[in-house]
Each structure stands twice: as C-alpha cells, then as structure tokens.
Amino acid sequence: MHESFLRHRRWRYLKGATALCLAALLVYAWHQPLDGPNGGTWLGYTLGTIGALMIVWLAWLGVRKRQYASNLGTVRGWVSAHVYFGLALLLIATLHTGFQFGWNLHTLAYALMVLVIISGVVGIVSYTRYPRLITDHRSQATREAWIEEVLELNERAIQLADKISPDVHRFVLRGAERVRLGGTWQEQLTGPRGDAGAAEMQALTEILRKKLTATGAERAAAADAEQVILLTDEKIMLSERDPAVERLKQLLELLTRRNDLASRVNQDVRMHARLQIWLYFHVPLTAALLAALAAHIIAVFLYR
C-alpha cells in the first residue's frame, strides 16, 4: 500500500516535532527573566540557535532531492520531516522572539520565515490533492499521447475537409489554428480563454443540417451537434445518397474527439501548474530568508 509522506513511518516526524514544541513551551513557561522573555536571554539564544539550525537543515531538502546515491534516509522521509519540523519552526522562532517585534532586520527575518512556512502549507495542500486528481484524470493515459492524437486528428480533419468543400476546409483549418494547448502561465493556471472549437462545430453542424434537409431528413435539421453525430439508421440511409454528408459526419466525429482531447490536455496542464506554482514563491522566499537570517545573526553578534 502506498504510504503518504505525511504518514511516513507511522507519523514518526509528527511525533518528533510535537515533542520538540511541547518541550519548548514547557521551558518557556518555566523561564521567567527579569526583563521579560526576549531573544537576548539564555533561552532566547538557545531557541534562536535551534531555529537557525532548523532553517538551514530544512533548506537542505532541495539538495537532498538531487543526491540520488545518498544514504541519509529516503527522500519521502526527508519530505515528511521537512513538513512537520517546518511547522514546528514557527513556534520555536516565535518563542525565540519573546513576542517582541519591530521595524528592524530581526522582524524582517521572522516575517520571511512566516511567508516561507505559509507557502509550504500551500505546497502540502497541493501535494495531498492534485496527484490523485491527475492520476484519476489521466486514466493510465499520458499527456504526450493525447497531444500526439490531437495533432493527428487535426491533420485527418483537414484532409477530410479538403474533400468536402473550400468553405468547410476553411472552417476546419481556422479551427485547427485556434486550438491552444497550454499557453501562457495565466492560461496554464486558469485554462485557455473561450472555446476554440465551438464556432467551428456550430458552423459545420449548420452545413450538415442543410445537407440532411436536402436529402429529405427534415427532422435532423433541428438536431444539435451530438444528435447530428448519433443519427438513427433511417437518417443514415437517407444521408448515404450524398457522400458529402457521410464525410461531414466523420469530420464532426473527428473534431468532437479532438476538442475533447484538447480539453483534457489543458485540464492536465492546469492541475500540474497549480501543483507547482507554490514553488515559485517558496524557493525565492527561502533564499531571501537565508540571507536575512545570516544578517540577523551577524547583527546580534555585533551589537549584543
């Protein structure tokens, strides 16, 4: 059975992080300095040192992921520890400050740490939600296979439209050019604007209605796109008198399949983009936090 990184080794790192937080709270409650809790007491320095080491260790996860031959635990274990001790860091760092904040470098480092943790929480939510949705959406298929089929269907549709009429060929060619897969980063997150195949399908359906009306299938003239494709045997027999009608029906089936696949590709891209977008905030904020932490430590040693 697949084990979630959150449940790794029966919640080992959740238990460890909880124990650390409880110990810090107990010592903080016991410690009663004359000038009140602050980062300049022995407890403040102790918690600050623990917090600084935790930040550096948590940031090391990006390096550990690329050390494929490392024997320092599994990547899943590192991720699990990263999550729980990252959340514990919020308490450790807050107790280190003694709840004293101001417009200074020290508070800046704390604020950056909070932003890093918030972006990390977004990442946790993403990684517990989207991988399962992506797997269910693909149903053992791949995005590459879908894209390849979309391109193949486009080519087949254009070749078939060329045998029907110049107008139909123009509609299909224009529709093929408007099909968007992926797109800009905004489109990857929200999906392409509009339905590229809607106008094309509507125009071709209207042409098919006219063809069917001309062959005597009056009831089909009022049918919508799906009903046109799923004609009854009687209507098919009537339409067989005109080869163009059969080609139009085949063309609509091809385009319906193509549009469905294009929608699936864009939905897959959208879920992957939402799965990864938090990293574009988490990684730069982590780099800024490390710089601010270094400046914070230097300032403490210079002005204590």
Side-chain angles (χ1 to χ4, degrees):
M1 182 180 294
H2 174 71
E3 181 184 49
S4 166
F5 65 90
L6 295 177
R7 295 172 174 266
H8 183 70
R9 296 291 181 89
R10 297 183 179 181
W11 311 93
R12 169 187 290 182
Y13 297 108
L14 172 60
K15 296 174 183 176
T18 301
L20 176 63
C21 290
L22 290 175
L25 285 170
L26 289 174
V27 176
Y28 186 84
W30 168 80
H31 182 59
Q32 298 292 332
L34 295 177
D35 54 350
N38 63 83
T41 65
W42 70 265
L43 179 60
Y45 281 121
T46 301
L47 292 174
T49 301
I50 293 173
L53 292 174
M54 288 176 68
I55 289 173
V56 174
W57 175 74
L58 290 167
W60 192 257
L61 175 64
V63 178
R64 172 61 186 87
K65 283 184 175 181
R66 291 163 178 79
Q67 293 178 332
Y68 302 107
S70 175
N71 294 321
L72 298 176
T74 64
V75 172
R76 181 180 296 163
W78 272 71
V79 172
S80 182
H82 185 89
V83 168
Y84 292 119
F85 283 99
L87 293 173
L89 174 64
L90 181 60
L91 176 65
I92 299 298
T94 302
L95 297 182
H96 160 67
T97 67
F99 298 91
Q100 295 186 17
F101 304 101
W103 295 99
N104 51 48
L105 175 63
H106 313 300
T107 302
L108 173 62
Y110 179 86
L112 286 171
M113 182 204 69
V114 172
L115 291 175
V116 170
I117 293 173
I118 291 174
S119 64
V121 171
V122 174
I124 295 171
V125 174
S126 297
Y127 273 95
T128 54
R129 169 180 170 81
Y130 285 109
R132 176 179 54 82
L133 293 177
I134 291 171
T135 300
D136 294 342
H137 175 68
R138 287 187 172 181
S139 299
Q140 298 183 344
T142 64
R143 187 196 305 174
E144 291 73 17
W146 284 341
I147 293 175
E148 185 176 347
E149 188 172 354
V150 167
L151 298 177
E152 180 185 352
L153 289 170
N154 262 338
E155 185 177 349
R156 288 172 57 189
I158 292 172
Q159 292 175 352
L160 186 58
D162 193 41
K163 299 177 181 179
I164 299 174
S165 72
D167 288 342
V168 172
H169 182 268
R170 184 175 67 254
F171 281 128
V172 173
L173 186 60
R174 186 183 303 166
E177 293 172 349
R178 290 178 178 175
V179 172
R180 292 185 63 82
L181 303 177
T184 63
W185 69 268
Q186 295 99 326
E187 291 174 329
Q188 290 182 30
L189 285 172
T190 61
R193 295 181 180 179
D195 187 351
E200 173 193 29
M201 292 292 290
Q202 183 178 359
L204 292 175
T205 301
E206 185 60 31
I207 293 173
L208 181 53
R209 284 174 180 165
K210 292 178 180 179
K211 290 284 187 181
L212 289 171
T213 301
T215 60
E218 292 85 359
R219 286 178 295 173
D224 59 22
E226 292 184 0
Q227 291 172 321
V228 167
I229 295 172
L230 302 175
L231 295 171
T232 65
D233 291 339
E234 179 185 358
K235 293 175 183 176
I236 291 176
M237 290 178 62
L238 289 169
S239 67
E240 283 176 350
R241 301 173 185 174
D242 188 349
V245 171
E246 284 300 314
R247 293 195 182 105
L248 277 168
K249 288 189 295 182
Q250 294 173 16
L251 181 59
L252 282 169
E253 291 173 355
L254 289 177
L255 296 178
T256 299
R257 172 64 177 169
R258 183 205 66 188
N259 293 342
D260 176 66
L261 286 175
S263 177
R264 285 176 173 270
V265 169
N266 286 324
Q267 187 176 351
D268 186 70
V269 169
R270 184 162 57 252
M271 287 189 290
H272 271 89
R274 292 177 180 178
L275 176 64
Q276 299 292 335
I277 186 63
W278 67 279
L279 283 171
Y280 290 93
F281 297 93
H282 192 70
V283 173
L285 285 171
T286 299
L289 170 59
L290 290 172
L293 176 65
H296 164 68
I297 294 172
I298 292 172
V300 168
F301 279 99
L302 288 178
Y303 299 106
R304 66 175 179 174

